[in-house]
Amino acid sequence: MNAIRRFLIGLAAVAGVTLAWEIAGRTHLVEPLLLPPPSEIVTTAIDLVRDGYRGTPLWQHLALSLARALGAFAVATLIGVPLGLAMGAAPGFGAVLDPFVQFLRPLPKLALIPLVILWFGIGETSKVLLIFISAALSIIVGTAAAVATVQRQRIRAGQALGAHGLALFRYVILPHILPELFVTLRLSFGIGWTTLIAAEMIASDAGVGWMVVNAGSYLRTDVVMLGIVMLGGTGYALDLALVGLQRWVAPWSGRA
Amino acid sequence: MTTYIRTGRPGRRDVLRLGLGAGALSLTAARSRAQTTAKPDVVRIGYLTAARAWVVGKTDGSFDKSLGVKVEWVPFPSGGPALSLLAAKQIDFAIFGNTPIVAGLSRKLPIQILGSPEIVATSERLVAKPGITTLRDLEGRRIAVAPASTMAFALEAVIRINKLDASKIKRLPLSQPDTIAAWKRGDIDATYINGPFWAELLADGGQQLLVSEQLQPSGVFVWNSAVVRSEFAERSPETVVAWLQTVQAQFDRYRSDPEGVSRILAKDFGAPFEAVRDTLAGLRYPTFQDQLGPKYWGEGPVAAKDAPLIKALGDAAAFLAETGEIKRDDVPASFVPAVNYALLRRAFPS
């Protein structure tokens, strides 16, 4: 199936679901309070673009959430990848860190909120930190696992051909792990993005995650759905961007 | 790890399953239509996860007895989730704050108000750090308040009534336990907070600037209303009457023995006895008879137009519309139809 065909089928599926959803709302098959039809969400979107939500323009909510998530993700990548590489390359070091990483990784980040507030206050640091923690831990584990899959023969072959240290890493290990690293980054970004709601529950008055939670407590299901569409759409777009980056940086992905 | 992915077209079995599902759905619909006059199989009562006097009836089965059906108790942490539970038809009755109730009514949530058995008096307080002694001192400070709460509404009223510069006061939405942490760290200068939380802040040297009761002369009322799902009230009015009378009986019991009821609730909620006792003492409990008078809801729908609490509902709606929480066009023209005077009168004849 070629790419255009796939895209068209996907588009038709989305259009079909949206149409069915609209009809269900119009005919009161589904209570609009429980699931507002797409047309109401569009109206709400127009209102919020014009007037903002709770005194903040809609684009600023999105920009703020993006800044928090991308900032946290960037730091998580800068710290997580080297740490994961070190853990994968030096089994002793990995064994030291592993219990801590494995303990923290599956922990629901909501449980950390009280401690994060006590230790880091209610400012931006706490919000970014929460996203950072969830993204960084998955990056560490994924990177370490990727390094562990490099076959010993390849490393020996590289060494036999005179590659050591940085050269070995650059020409043998990196090309092998890059595709897997990108998968890890994509998954970790998704995990970080889902932590946005938890992060923006800490003393926020702006951000898409906050908007969803706040609107929910006033039963503004139209704003909740709009926020969900924004979160989902942005997450999807950023994932596509990472895939694009992967094609550019590691074009051999999936052809090894 | 292996994952088996089923591919291909939906088999005959899937189609059959779909048909069965649809059939079951239409069956359920038919059953609910046939039950129009029958007694409910089960009554689900929503309650706040903070000690409230009437919830003492949960511990000894009073509601099961007087309603004559199985009663399920569904906890919710605040008014927002209570609205969701009502919208999803997961609870039939609840008692919670007037601000979220106004939000729900504006969203056309099919619920009816059944009086206001709990009026906030001293249970919600504005407490500030030492050195902040007047309301004017709050300008240029950070005040924490639980989002979408009656306290958030009261704080805005304080700012408006005292003509403080709203743009100079930073309001931080924080849950109440988190507020305590932020206070200890010095991240906030003041908070509008519920009992028992303020006790800790006052012990820590906090200054009490105001209690919600002091806003009443300015027409600002904060209270908890009893609500019922409209569909439930139409189908089982007798159950609503019995429920209201049982609620009143619990408040009567509290009035005659506040210490005893506080002790039972402290045990049930796992909270310190003193905290429960002081929190409960911070609310006023007008009887339903009293509520159906000129001081609260008016005697009936005709006299209700100028009733203080009907007016207060309108004010709360105007406030929520102004802050952008609800759409201005969604606010009902009058809140009188939202109050079920008929059932209140049936439960408590004059």
Side-chain angles (χ1 to χ4, degrees), chain B residues 24-282:
Chain B
L25 260 176
S26 55
L27 252 173
T28 326
R31 220 184 71 195
S32 67
R33 238 174 279 131
Q35 269 182 350
T36 354
T37 50
K39 212 171 187 182
D41 300 328
V42 60
V43 171
R44 298 153 310 169
I45 304 175
Y47 68 105
L48 204 63
T49 45
R52 288 289 175 265
W54 67 282
V55 182
V56 73
K58 172 167 85 81
T59 55
D60 61 1
S62 300
F63 284 89
D64 303 66
K65 244 172 281 159
S66 59
L67 301 185
V69 294
K70 193 163 133 17
V71 172
E72 277 172 17
W73 291 81
V74 182
F76 51 77
S78 63
L83 292 178
S84 304
L85 286 170
L86 286 163
K89 300 182 185 177
Q90 295 299 306
I91 54 175
D92 304 309
F93 295 100
I95 299 185
F96 60 103
N98 63 316
T99 318
I101 288 172
V102 162
L105 288 170
S106 303
R107 290 291 292 161
K108 297 182 185 61
L109 178 67
I111 55 170
Q112 297 173 349
I113 294 178
L114 301 167
S116 51
E118 296 173 330
I119 311 273
V120 172
T122 59
S123 61
E124 297 176 2
R125 306 180 179 194
L126 181 54
V127 181
K129 285 266 177 176
I132 302 174
T133 47
T134 68
L135 292 172
R136 184 73 45 196
D137 292 343
L138 290 174
E139 287 182 351
R141 308 289 187 144
R142 294 157 300 176
I143 309 179
V145 66
S149 68
T150 47
M151 276 100 49
F153 172 69
L155 177 62
E156 297 306 318
V158 169
I159 293 170
R160 197 176 59 239
I161 292 164
N162 295 283
K163 300 197 173 58
L164 305 179
D165 188 345
S167 65
K168 283 192 194 152
I169 298 171
K170 174 101 179 131
R171 278 84 103 196
L172 289 167
L174 266 185
S175 78
Q176 304 198 98
D178 292 347
T179 299
I180 304 288
W183 172 284
K184 297 240 153 99
R185 276 179 49 88
D187 283 342
I188 55 169
D189 304 304
T191 175
Y192 211 126
I193 199 162
N194 211 332
F197 295 101
W198 41 251
E200 204 173 332
L201 304 183
L202 291 176
D204 198 39
Q207 291 273 333
Q208 182 178 309
L209 299 180
L210 189 96
V211 299
S212 290
E213 197 169 35
Q214 287 166 269
L215 299 169
Q216 288 180 6
S218 312
V220 178
F221 284 84
V222 178
W223 73 89
N224 295 327
S225 263
V227 297
V228 60
R229 278 194 309 116
S230 305
E231 191 193 353
F232 185 93
E234 275 149 31
R235 199 189 297 162
S236 320
E238 291 312 319
T239 309
V240 178
V241 168
W243 183 79
L244 278 170
Q245 289 164 344
T246 316
V247 167
Q248 183 59 58
Q250 309 313 308
F251 284 118
D252 292 343
R253 181 176 170 194
Y254 170 73
R255 213 182 329 253
S256 63
D257 180 20
E259 298 257 320
V261 168
S262 302
R263 193 157 286 126
I264 294 171
L265 287 171
K267 207 172 150 212
D268 192 44
F269 282 85
F273 162 69
E274 290 80 10
V276 171
R277 183 192 59 196
D278 295 350
T279 306
L280 295 184

Side-chain angles (χ1 to χ4, degrees), chain B residues 3-7:
Chain B
T3 322
Y4 297 96
I5 302 170
R6 274 180 60 191
T7 49

